[in-house]
Amino acid sequence: MRCLRRLRDLGAAVILGLALAGAAQAQDEPPGANAGGGLEMSEGHHDGDHLGPIGPYLSAAELRNWPQGSRRPTPERLVRQRTAEILAAAGTPCEIVAAHNPGETRQRKDIYEIACREGPGYLMVATDRPAILNCLHLAATEAAQRAADPSRPVTSLCLLDENKDAAAALQPLAARVDPACVVDQAAWIGRVGEDEDRYEIGCDGRDGLWLQTRVNQTGVTETFSCIDVSAMGSACEFTTPQEQAATVASWLPAGGPQCAADRTRFVGVAAGARYYELSCGGGPGMMLRLRPDGDFDQAWPCAQATGIAGGCTLSGGRP
């Protein structure tokens, strides 16, 4: 998809001077920005020995035996009704597909969990100003805390099966960006500034992506292909070099140059066109160019591409 081949709203986050006839030299710019959409982001993990991600609502001590089972749970019908009212008041979209009431706080405030047809589910605390907590955020927080201290008790956790399957929850969001992406792995990976969540998506057999949404929303506000993420000095955990190479090779036209691609890299941008290098197994590699609209334009054997940003550099890609 074209939108995966661009760094939207970041300007030219990775711009290289390309020594091409008629192409102006461009100055390098720093990779990534800040909370406005770049790579710098808070971890979103919550510290403290006595407070979980819900802060003062739930403590490690009271959730040591999560879920609490000392009370009669609210029927699912009523949980759906009450949580729908909370979501509507908060402006949080969710078509509820499952709901339950795992317990209550020490202040006798009900805790609700719901799963949504699209996007992450939520854990809620029904106070005067209800807390609405992203289940994928909670899962990432718990995993980080347990990795740091395996003896630490669980502090907050979503229990519905639907909320344990991040790939299924994020498939509808990923499909809006790349309809060909079949999500095989996914996770919440951080908070960007104060108001956006970032997720990593792994796509079966093709390049994955990072996508961002507003907190407790499902509209995608920003996307980055994992190839571009690599060019900015970060890495996608759910995408292999072979998947990235296969994606770039798929842009080559039928009947055109062929490549048994095993590695790729984003080379840079000049005059709106984007350049990529492909390593073709044991054979000669190539450089290819996409037009500003994202469509394939031209490909050169590495032997003829020495003037493009220093030429080919991947192992096996030199002439």
Side-chain angles (χ1 to χ4, degrees), residues 11-194:
V14 182
I15 298 182
L16 304 179
L18 304 181
L20 293 169
Q25 292 281 339
Q27 292 184 339
D28 291 352
E29 295 186 7
N34 51 27
L39 292 180
E40 298 175 5
M41 60 184 178
S42 66
E43 291 297 326
H45 298 151
H46 301 258
D47 299 323
D49 293 333
H50 305 295
L51 298 180
I54 305 182
Y57 295 112
L58 303 177
S59 68
E62 69 181 331
L63 289 182
R64 192 174 297 275
N65 296 313
W66 177 266
Q68 299 177 35
S70 61
R71 51 177 294 285
R72 189 182 187 90
T74 302
E76 181 175 0
R77 174 182 60 82
L78 293 179
V79 174
R80 285 175 176 260
Q81 177 182 326
R82 293 173 184 176
T83 54
E85 293 170 352
I86 293 172
L87 292 169
T92 297
C94 174
E95 181 182 345
I96 300 172
V97 296
H100 79 139
N101 169 216
E104 60 185 16
T105 69
R106 286 181 175 178
Q107 292 77 33
R108 299 297 179 91
K109 301 298 183 181
D110 275 314
I111 303 166
Y112 300 130
E113 181 187 351
I114 59 167
C116 306
R117 188 168 302 280
E118 295 187 0
Y122 300 101
L123 199 65
M124 303 182 186
V125 180
T127 61
D128 292 338
R129 298 181 63 186
I132 304 176
L133 300 141
N134 180 325
C135 285
L136 298 184
H137 181 176
L138 294 180
T141 300
E142 284 297 334
Q145 291 176 339
R146 294 301 297 276
D149 180 7
S151 66
R152 181 188 178 108
V154 173
T155 55
S156 302
L157 189 64
C158 293
L159 302 172
L160 291 170
D161 288 341
E162 295 88 345
N163 288 336
K164 298 177 184 179
D165 190 345
L170 294 175
Q171 175 68 66
L173 279 63
R176 296 174 200 164
V177 180
D178 182 1
C181 174
V182 177
V183 180
D184 54 11
Q185 289 179 279
W188 180 95
I189 58 172
R191 178 69 45 84
V192 182
E194 297 295 326

Side-chain angles (χ1 to χ4, degrees), residues 222-313:
E222 185 66 273
T223 64
F224 307 86
S225 74
C226 284
I227 296 172
D228 285 336
V229 168
S230 297
M232 291 186 288
S234 295
C236 291
E237 294 186 8
F238 304 147
T239 299
T240 67
Q242 292 74 27
E243 287 176 323
Q244 292 182 333
T247 298
V248 174
S250 73
W251 302 341
L252 294 169
Q258 299 302 305
C259 174
D262 58 359
R263 295 179 65 199
T264 191
R265 71 182 178 97
F266 172 62
V267 176
V269 177
R274 298 172 67 80
Y275 293 79
Y276 296 83
E277 179 188 350
L278 271 177
S279 169
C280 302
M286 66 176 65
M287 196 81 71
L288 61 87
R289 179 172 66 199
L290 301 182
R291 291 192 292 267
D293 63 6
D295 288 339
F296 174 82
D297 183 25
Q298 190 173 355
W300 301 266
C302 282
Q304 300 175 16
T306 56
I308 303 176
C312 296
T313 63

